[in-house]
Amino acid sequence: MSEPNEQKRPQIELVCPAGSLPALRAAVDNGADAVYIGFRDGLNARNFPGLNFSAEDARLGIEYAHRRGTRVFVALNVYPRPQLWEGATRAVDEAARLEADAVILADVGLLQYADEYHPRLNRHLSVQASATNWRALEFYERQFGVRRAVLPRVLSLAQVRKVIEHTHLEIEVFGFGSLCIMVEGRCALSSHVTGESPNTHGVCSPAHAVRWEETGAGRRVRLNGVLIDEFTPGEAAGYPTLCKGRFEALGNVMHALEEPTSLNVLDILPQLVAAGVRAIKVEGRQRSPAYVAQVTRTLRAELDACLRDPERYRPQAAASAALQRLAEGRTHTLGAYSRPWQ
Amino acid sequence: MRLSVGPLLYLWDRPGVFAFYRQLAQLPVDIVYLGEVVCSKRRVLRRADWIAIGRDLSAAGKEVVVSTLALMEAESELSSLAHTVAMADLIEANDMAAVQLLRDRPFVAGPHLNVYNTATLSLLSSLGMRRWVAPVELDTATLAALLGERPPGLEAEVFAYGRMPLAFSARCFSARVRRRHKDDCGFVCAEDVDGLTVHTREGEPLLALNGIQTQSAQVRNLIGRVDVLARAGVDVLRLSPHSSAAVRFEEVAGAFRSALDSHARSAPCPPTALPGGYCEEYVHTATVSGAGPAR
């Protein structure tokens, strides 16, 4: 095999989320290199009420972005069961018709469909495909001509480096936003309690299953009846995903799986650049246009500073503080990249 | 229908593992899956030990399949996978890395590959998949629909008994709840021979921690649904190993065997001592009073 990565440019794309047309404009106007969106069809991993794009909004958004030199990726990253299959293939057709710059897919069947019917439409491997090693990436590259892969948020920086050394694919990693502690695509906690998971319905802890209760001692939150957490008055209460709830194990009540915290990679940006990462992704299509604007603007400035002089780059204190205010649980970590918990 | 025993998901001590498989050789099961699926740090058994166990089970007339890790991140895990693929006759692939190495050889697609539609089944079949273990979250109606148009020669297997594997992480939860670091875990997961039960703050058993894997606290038991599964076109039922602290596994195997053979009505299955008890439905139902559904 020849040097797999000799042609990789040092350029790094900033890939930002948009759950609506105003959010897309906010990302484009504040310096995103690419924006990712989903259709309003339950076929992407942020299948939330009131979120996502109609075909007409997608057309307008793609036009807006392309006129300003920004690329648009369409996420179609659920695993369609038979009843969703036809809709899913139609959505791939639609992304091609609208001249999206790529589709982000996880399902093997859909990858095959896109490769067969739309060979000129770029195929990116979604984080939901759970490809955590270069051998798995080799499968998707050879089988479907995938161009880029988004890595699950479970790899250490050293492991990201190893993957890049061994693959021909462009590698995109998460840089900021909510943190999945489980391997994406390998987590059925949500469906075990609510019947709906990211794999099957594009949603984790669906809003219709959430119930808040005010009690004398504070607030309780249930997911389909199951008590996920209990907060004292004044305590910050996050969205009730199972992995961030407080439960009893070995006689202690604790965050048995994960603290509510966000991912923020500013501290290791130069190392990610040096590793050969081709794109930094921001999580949060469910977030407001104002959030998208602020995160995009902040990360744009930091990424530019880092690319200008990676060796001397240090995150601006103001940038870190701004991101921290936006972070879930108001704290952030390097997640698996640094593996503080190993 | 045939009966299989899935890979041992927990870390048991050496004598315990050997005793379990010695007993299996005598039980009325047809297929046995061997090897470590959850954590590559667990090395109580070496490759040579697994080979010896496999040989004994083959001699006892069992079909032996070697299961691969579900989460592969390290180079060492990839080399170990290559080794396994080179040596074993039949492999259960639990990651696409294994599928890539098994190209054009017969293989079993494990429950951790995401297979949810006919197009995916067809593609994997064309690459050599001979048996498919359905994801635990797939409902029976969808399963029946998929099996109605399955590729020729493909067998389907369903996880029919045991705590259900629900998620994998890079983090070790068995270590975390004991405030230990993963790198210095001391193999504390060995203390939880059937996983560590996690309760809600209302005392309801909800999840079970098993190293980097999270499982259901409830034990899935589909013995009452054997006929439904047979009608859906399922060929193999999988029993996931549990320790003698949870249940008499030989009685579970015997009960399933008689259910498969008689078809008419389900045979008695011994109760489980695990706090979550048994469930038939995949979706957990809140059991605490006053905690009705949200809808």
Side-chain angles (χ1 to χ4, degrees):
Chain A
M1 203 184 292
S2 65
E3 297 287 310
N5 285 303
E6 61 194 351
Q7 288 164 355
K8 287 195 173 164
R9 291 171 289 137
Q11 214 59 39
I12 298 191
E13 236 178 9
L14 180 61
V15 182
C16 295
S20 67
L21 206 45
L24 178 142
R25 292 200 196 97
V28 172
D29 295 349
N30 285 282
D33 296 302
V35 180
Y36 65 104
I37 66 173
F39 292 135
R40 202 172 287 162
D41 54 9
L43 295 167
N44 65 82
R46 290 291 181 277
N47 175 24
F48 296 172
L51 202 69
N52 295 315
F53 286 68
S54 65
E56 177 59 10
D57 281 355
R59 187 186 66 76
L60 292 171
I62 290 171
E63 197 179 284
Y64 185 87
H66 281 178
R67 219 180 291 138
R68 288 158 183 81
T70 305
R71 305 209 290 163
V72 178
F73 307 151
V74 175
L76 276 163
N77 50 358
V78 297
Y79 289 92
R81 288 158 295 139
Q83 61 267 40
L84 293 177
W85 177 256
E86 210 187 310
T89 56
R90 269 206 310 271
V92 175
D93 299 341
E94 189 68 6
R97 192 181 66 79
L98 293 169
E99 297 183 352
D101 298 279
V103 276
I104 307 172
L105 304 174
D107 183 68
V108 160
L110 267 194
L111 280 159
Q112 166 83 2
Y113 176 87
D115 185 29
E116 196 173 332
Y117 291 95
H118 303 287
R120 295 192 320 169
L121 177 63
N122 280 328
R123 294 171 288 289
H124 291 184
L125 190 66
S126 167
V127 68
Q128 293 298 124
S130 329
T132 51
N133 60 75
W134 60 266
R135 187 65 84 181
L137 293 180
E138 189 178 72
F139 171 79
Y140 292 101
E141 182 194 359
R142 300 230 176 130
Q143 198 68 41
F144 311 114
V146 164
R147 294 278 295 273
R148 174 183 289 193
V150 187
L151 295 184
R153 282 162 279 190
V154 296
L155 298 180
S156 68
L157 182 58
Q159 288 169 341
V160 171
R161 230 178 252 135
K162 271 279 180 253
V163 168
I164 294 173
E165 275 171 29
H166 286 90
T167 186
H168 296 82
L169 298 183
E170 297 179 356
I171 294 300
E172 181 171 316
V173 297
F174 276 92
F176 186 77
S178 296
L179 192 56
C180 276
I181 189 67
M182 303 301 180
V183 185
E184 295 90 335
R186 294 254 175 84
C187 180
L189 291 180
S190 177
S191 64
H192 181 51
V193 169
T194 71
E196 299 179 11
S197 72
N199 281 5
T200 58
H201 292 74
V203 66
C204 177
S205 302
H208 66 73
V210 174
R211 196 174 72 196
W212 292 92
E213 295 168 355
E214 301 295 335
T215 69
R219 307 173 79 188
R220 290 174 155 189
V221 62
R222 294 182 188 278
L223 199 56
N224 202 19
V226 174
L227 185 65
I228 303 299
D229 212 341
E230 209 166 347
F231 305 93
T232 52
E235 196 179 6
Y239 193 80
T241 58
L242 271 158
C243 59
K244 289 166 187 163
R246 271 179 289 196
F247 303 105
E248 182 269 310
L250 293 174
N252 303 310
V253 172
M254 60 192 299
H255 288 109
L257 301 174
E258 169 66 332
E259 321 277 338
T261 180
S262 284
L263 175 71
N264 177 359
V265 299
L266 285 191
D267 286 336
I268 55 161
L269 214 44
Q271 288 96 311
L272 290 171
V273 172
V277 160
R278 284 297 304 277
I280 304 274
K281 182 175 203 129
V282 177
E283 182 276 345
R285 281 188 286 130
Q286 71 282 20
R287 301 291 197 142
S288 69
Y291 173 95
V292 171
Q294 193 168 358
V295 172
T296 304
R297 194 183 321 126
T298 306
L299 287 176
R300 175 79 275 159
E302 292 302 305
L303 189 56
D304 287 348
C306 178
L307 290 172
R308 268 196 305 275
D309 191 354
E311 273 163 35
R312 306 235 318 259
Y313 170 80
R314 297 285 177 280
Q316 295 279 328
S320 292
L323 292 178
Q324 180 130 1
R325 277 193 303 277
L326 295 165
E328 180 184 2
R330 297 292 169 89
T331 63
H332 56 227
T333 74
L334 285 168
Y337 294 119
S338 74
R339 305 208 151 187
W341 27 261
Q342 280 211 342
Chain B
M1 270 199 284
R2 292 195 293 163
L3 212 48
S4 79
V5 174
L8 171 61
L9 300 177
Y10 309 105
L11 180 61
W12 292 355
D13 62 19
R14 245 179 106 78
V17 179
F18 280 105
F20 179 78
Y21 286 110
R22 249 195 324 274
Q23 180 194 35
L24 270 197
Q26 313 304 322
L27 296 186
V29 298
D30 308 291
I31 306 164
V32 181
Y33 293 83
L34 299 176
E36 178 62 44
V37 171
V38 176
C39 179
S40 63
K41 291 177 71 178
R42 296 173 174 175
R43 290 193 191 119
V44 167
L45 263 68
R46 298 283 169 179
R47 195 184 298 275
D49 297 322
W50 286 119
I51 291 172
I53 289 172
R55 201 179 299 127
D56 291 349
L57 288 168
S58 295
K62 314 297 184 197
E63 177 188 310
V64 172
V65 187
V66 178
S67 298
T68 69
L69 272 186
L71 169 59
M72 299 215 295
E73 308 168 284
E75 285 302 301
S76 56
E77 290 159 359
L78 285 177
S79 353
S80 171
L81 172 71
H83 212 91
T84 303
V85 166
M87 294 192 53
D89 291 332
L90 190 55
I91 302 269
E92 176 188 79
N94 282 310
D95 185 89
M96 282 303 185
V99 175
Q100 173 66 7
L101 287 174
L102 285 161
R103 255 164 198 286
D104 305 324
R105 261 179 62 182
F107 68 91
V108 179
H112 307 302
L113 296 186
N114 285 325
V115 179
Y116 290 89
N117 52 57
T118 303
T120 301
L121 280 177
S122 303
L123 185 109
L124 292 177
S125 282
S126 76
L127 297 177
M129 175 177 65
R130 293 292 169 267
R131 189 182 303 142
W132 166 52
V133 189
V136 289
E137 67 176 348
L138 202 66
D139 58 287
T140 311
T142 304
L143 184 65
L146 290 175
L147 294 182
E149 38 187 86
R150 72 174 106 184
L154 179 70
E155 285 188 324
E157 178 167 338
V158 162
F159 188 100
Y161 184 93
R163 280 183 154 172
M164 294 181 280
L166 296 175
F168 290 91
S169 173
R171 170 175 289 190
C172 176
F173 303 114
S174 301
R176 174 181 164 85
V177 295
R178 292 175 171 92
R179 300 194 159 60
R180 298 186 75 117
H181 291 286
K182 189 177 175 190
D183 282 349
D184 180 32
C185 69
F187 299 101
V188 285
C189 59
E191 293 173 22
D192 312 317
V193 288
D194 295 284
L196 174 68
T197 307
V198 171
H199 296 79
T200 68
R201 291 160 91 172
E202 293 174 311
E204 184 186 357
L206 181 63
L207 301 171
L209 307 180
N210 174 38
I212 66 164
Q213 184 181 61
T214 307
Q215 306 178 327
S216 61
Q218 291 182 303
V219 176
R220 176 185 266 188
N221 183 352
L222 300 184
I223 196 161
R225 296 206 176 166
V226 167
D227 290 350
V228 177
L229 294 168
R231 277 199 300 276
V234 173
D235 303 283
V236 180
L237 295 186
R238 169 173 292 199
L239 312 177
S240 190
H242 276 287
S243 81
S244 55
V247 73
R248 294 175 65 92
F249 195 77
E250 66 277 18
E251 289 180 11
V252 173
F256 268 87
R257 180 83 265 163
S258 71
L260 294 193
D261 291 348
S262 73
H263 281 293
R265 54 174 184 271
S266 59
C269 186
T272 174
L274 293 173
Y278 284 139
C279 66
E280 275 196 343
E281 298 296 333
Y282 167 69
V283 180
H284 176 89
T285 311
T287 52
V288 170
S289 59
R295 278 174 203 265

